[in-house]
Amino acid sequence: DIVMTQTPLSLSVTPGQPASISCKSSQSLLHSDGKTYLYWYLQKAGQSPQLLIYEVSSRFFGVPDRFSGSGSGTDFTLKISRVEAEDVGVYYCMQGIHLPKTFGQGTKLEIK
Amino acid sequence: EVQLVESGGGLVQPGGSLRLSCAASGFTFSSYWMSWVRQAPGKGLEWVANIKQNGREKYYVDSVKGRFTISRDNAKNSLYLQTNSLRVEDTAIYYCARDVIGGGFDPWGQGTLVTVSS
């Protein structure tokens, strides 16, 4: 199975400041079709996860442009340019290239 | 509105069974792969199983193979997860989710809690 490792596991950020979360996979997520199957989700307290980013860097419908994804191969990053109070929650990366699909451990974002 | 609503969770003894259901609405259910993902209390996310549009391809995480069965009824816009030989470590919120854009999940249902305890 592909192991997804996120760092840090927790993050405390002042509103308006940037935040960055790293996700590393144990194998390359680049498919022979040229796409890289790396996703980011946010799970707010008491809610189901919601899709933020697909295929490394594409924002899903309705996701604010302060969220951006980058990376390639095995190293990926989610960045929030200016954190807002509504961004609080746990962020998960997930690989979709091989079954079983696997998630990172999660990164808890709190507001200072 | 695209919506998924799970049901069927509850308290069951080790070795017992439950059938989870997921009712889909607001989209053409028969056009999408569908998945089950679970989350143990206070823990992270674990993909459990998925099923192709026509139900003829099914995949499972190793820990549930031979015990869980995913199925669907496209006429009823419904997804199911038959869980047998349940173990304490199967205790979790079980979410159904639609597979989109090459394998991401959107939306997710609100989840149904399965508690395996004696």
Side-chain angles (χ1 to χ4, degrees):
Chain A
D1 297 358
I2 295 178
V3 176
M4 305 296 289
T5 304
Q6 290 181 229
T7 54
L9 297 184
S10 65
L11 201 50
S12 184
V13 181
T14 301
Q17 294 301 302
S20 180
I21 301 170
S22 171
C23 175
K24 296 183 187 297
S25 59
S26 60
Q27 299 176 35
S28 175
L29 304 185
L30 175 62
H31 194 276
S32 56
D33 64 7
K35 296 179 181 179
T36 300
Y37 292 97
L38 185 282
Y39 306 84
W40 289 97
Y41 298 89
L42 166 60
Q43 185 174 31
K44 298 182 179 180
Q47 296 185 19
S48 306
Q50 58 189 90
L51 179 60
L52 296 176
I53 302 285
Y54 64 95
E55 293 170 13
V56 180
S57 59
S58 296
R59 278 187 299 277
F60 196 60
F61 304 108
V63 175
D65 60 8
R66 63 179 181 275
F67 290 92
S68 64
S70 62
S72 63
T74 60
D75 288 358
F76 305 95
T77 303
L78 175 70
K79 292 183 179 178
I80 309 173
S81 58
R82 295 173 303 280
V83 170
E84 298 187 4
E86 67 181 25
D87 300 335
V88 165
V90 181
Y91 291 79
Y92 294 94
C93 60
M94 184 198 84
Q95 65 81 17
I97 191 173
H98 289 304
L99 294 179
K101 298 183 184 184
T102 48
F103 294 85
Q105 318 95 300
T107 295
K108 186 174 185 178
L109 175 66
E110 298 176 327
I111 296 294
K112 279 184 183 176
Chain B
E1 178 191 6
V2 175
Q3 193 172 14
L4 298 170
V5 179
E6 302 93 335
S7 60
L11 174 62
V12 61
Q13 292 187 339
S17 300
L18 282 175
R19 189 193 195 208
L20 309 183
S21 299
C22 171
S25 59
F27 66 100
T28 304
F29 179 73
S30 59
S31 296
Y32 291 87
W33 282 78
M34 296 293 296
S35 289
W36 288 97
V37 179
R38 67 183 178 182
Q39 185 170 37
K43 302 297 184 182
L45 301 167
E46 180 182 37
W47 174 85
V48 173
N50 67 357
I51 185 169
K52 195 174 180 178
Q53 292 92 327
N54 60 12
R56 292 177 183 171
E57 289 185 43
K58 307 174 184 182
Y59 301 95
Y60 301 90
V61 68
D62 282 351
S63 59
V64 308
K65 281 180 183 174
R67 301 188 300 121
F68 290 11
T69 302
I70 190 171
S71 63
R72 65 192 296 162
D73 185 335
N74 288 341
K76 294 183 178 180
N77 291 332
S78 292
L79 177 72
Y80 306 101
L81 187 68
Q82 178 66 43
T83 65
N84 298 331
S85 302
L86 283 162
R87 304 167 180 169
V88 171
E89 55 266 33
D90 294 318
T91 294
I93 297 172
Y94 285 73
Y95 298 100
C96 71
R98 182 180 67 169
D99 287 30
V100 295
I101 312 180
F105 302 131
D106 178 81
W108 300 55
Q110 87 288 349
T112 188
L113 177 62
V114 172
T115 303
V116 185
S117 174
S118 54

